[in-house]
Amino acid sequence: MPSLRFPSLALIFAISGPIAAWAQAVQAPQAAPPASFAAEQKAANATDGPRRTPPRSFPVPTEEVSPEMRKLIALPFPPHMDAAPKSAAEWTELVDRRAKLAIAALPAMKEKLKVDVQPAVIGGVKAFIVTPRTIPRANRDRLLVHVHGGGYVFGPGEAALPEAILLAGFGGYKVISVDYRMPPDAPYPAAMDDAMAVWKAATKMAKPRNMAIFGTSTGGAMTLAMVLRAKAEKLPLPAAIAPGTPWSDIAKIGDSYATNEWVDNVLVSWDGWLGRAALLYANGHDLKDPQLSPIYGDFHGFPPTILTSGTRDLFLSNTVRTHRKLRRAGVVADLNVYEGQSHGQYGGDMNAPETKEAFTDIAKFFDRHLGR
């Protein structure tokens, strides 16, 4: 089967570019800087304060990176990177346009990964049940809850499903994917209310010690916020969680918001559609509210956690800060960082070895920490 690029995970990976451009990016030689370059940079950074860098280009990495992933790394910025919808209708048009790209990829994904998808209503909330056609014996009493990414605006309906399909297929787990409400019609706290309603209902379908919650980007932030809220409401906690490259600080706070700006070819910059979506979702609430930015919550008592990011990820600092805070709270926490990858690209091509590796790692982590 040919390699497919599809808008998986955060629903922002449907970006395309000619293969010729990819080949040129990979093969372009990097000219050596002139002899005066080091002296100039030394002078520019001779005092305390922010680091100043010259204009640079970043070659596509070749070592420890598969050809499939190199294609994703080499792609141009997505056309919606600087989208600025000015009305609910304009937001809806953008969201629907992105969703069509994701939905078009689903039949091939379901067939290759051998999973079936059924719509459902769980806890009064729309959801999908993703079931592998063959479930390993060890996983038959296990259940995962998935919260999708997409900046709290992308991924309605079936467009939310790629990541759930990847983990169900590569991991052999039955997955409930939450089709939570989103802006512009339903800002915060609608998404969290829906996710928690599904979680409460799901804990009646399986034992919490046999359950995990996972999601990428927005879904990673919601995974963390769900645990915070479950703790506050004295609800059962999952046995493990996998917040991939979580949007754990929804404001523009964190080193990689600066260092990876214009390098990440998925999110590109907070000062585009991303920041506008953050403010739309927050709807006037404090961006440091732990239900919006879970990095400001109390991580003591969290279940074992596996986090995933990439060296070019705009949210690398979100991920690193979350990992360190979990470890400081005494939580078992693994961190996987992939060479050269921008935001969530470990899920951008189901045929890339890194995608299978990432989701197999998550599945193995769950296997170690979930009951049977």
Side-chain angles (χ1 to χ4, degrees):
M1 179 176 293
S3 178
L4 295 176
R5 291 196 297 270
F6 52 88
S8 64
L9 305 184
L11 276 297
I12 46 185
F13 307 137
I15 49 183
S16 60
I19 297 301
W22 164 69
Q24 183 180 10
V26 172
Q27 298 169 5
Q30 299 298 302
S36 60
F37 181 82
E40 292 170 355
Q41 299 316 305
K42 182 177 180 181
N45 291 276
T47 60
D48 294 349
R51 296 282 66 80
R52 296 170 177 84
T53 63
R56 293 177 293 167
S57 64
F58 299 86
V60 175
T62 57
E63 298 301 319
E64 305 300 326
V65 180
S66 71
E68 295 87 350
M69 189 56 60
R70 288 178 216 155
K71 292 178 183 180
L72 294 181
I73 294 170
L75 288 173
F77 293 162
H80 67 285
M81 56 164 279
D82 55 352
K86 295 179 175 57
S87 66
E90 290 184 8
W91 273 109
T92 299
E93 189 280 329
L94 175 62
V95 169
D96 289 348
R97 180 158 33 97
R98 309 299 302 163
K100 289 177 183 177
L101 295 169
I103 293 170
L106 294 181
M109 291 188 69
K110 289 188 284 188
E111 184 57 33
K112 178 178 175 65
L113 297 175
K114 296 180 171 52
V115 303
D116 296 313
V117 177
Q118 293 294 328
V121 176
I122 300 173
V125 176
K126 292 180 181 179
F128 295 92
I129 299 176
V130 184
T131 308
R133 292 171 193 164
T134 301
I135 299 179
R137 181 179 298 275
N139 290 345
R140 290 178 186 172
D141 293 324
R142 292 168 165 175
L143 181 63
L144 309 185
V145 172
H146 168 246
V147 276
H148 68 84
Y152 295 104
V153 292
F154 293 133
E158 290 181 291
L161 287 172
E163 183 180 30
I165 291 172
L166 288 170
L167 192 48
F170 285 124
Y173 287 95
K174 185 175 182 179
V175 177
I176 296 172
S177 183
V178 185
D179 183 16
Y180 53 81
R181 292 170 293 159
M182 296 187 290
D185 297 330
Y188 174 80
M192 284 300 302
D193 288 345
D194 287 355
M196 292 307 296
V198 172
W199 173 250
K200 291 175 188 177
T203 59
K204 310 299 182 186
M205 301 166 62
K207 296 176 181 178
R209 66 183 179 85
N210 295 347
M211 299 175 68
I213 302 174
F214 72 102
T216 286
S217 191
T218 293
M222 290 181 66
T223 296
L224 297 166
M226 287 172 70
V227 176
L228 289 172
R229 186 159 159 180
K231 286 174 55 183
E233 296 180 5
K234 302 190 184 311
L235 298 172
L237 301 184
I241 59 173
T245 178
W247 202 6
S248 53
D249 197 325
I250 201 171
K252 192 180 179 181
I253 299 173
D255 191 53
S256 62
Y257 274 122
T259 59
N260 281 342
E261 187 177 36
W262 310 111
V263 178
D264 183 323
N265 68 346
V266 175
L267 295 179
V268 186
S269 171
W270 192 90
D271 296 312
W273 76 268
L274 182 66
R276 296 177 186 115
L279 298 175
L280 184 70
Y281 174 67
N283 196 31
H285 288 82
D286 181 359
L287 298 187
K288 287 192 174 182
D289 183 326
Q291 285 294 292
L292 290 169
S293 296
I295 193 68
Y296 300 107
D298 181 2
F299 286 178
H300 288 89
F302 262 52
T305 302
I306 181 170
L307 301 115
T308 311
S309 185
T311 59
R312 298 188 182 189
D313 187 358
L314 194 71
F315 287 0
L316 177 58
S317 286
N318 279 328
T319 311
V320 168
R321 290 171 66 199
T322 299
H323 179 249
R324 293 318 312 159
K325 186 160 184 175
L326 286 163
R327 295 293 295 122
R328 289 166 187 150
V331 178
V332 173
D334 284 7
L335 173 61
N336 289 347
V337 180
Y338 282 88
E339 171 74 354
Q341 290 188 20
S342 293
H343 183 65
Q345 279 181 328
Y346 57 88
D349 182 346
M350 66 178 172
N351 295 306
E354 291 89 342
T355 298
K356 182 175 182 180
E357 182 179 326
F359 285 92
T360 300
D361 271 2
I362 293 169
K364 289 179 178 178
F365 186 87
F366 286 167
D367 186 58
R368 291 197 299 272
H369 296 287
L370 270 59
R372 301 189 180 187

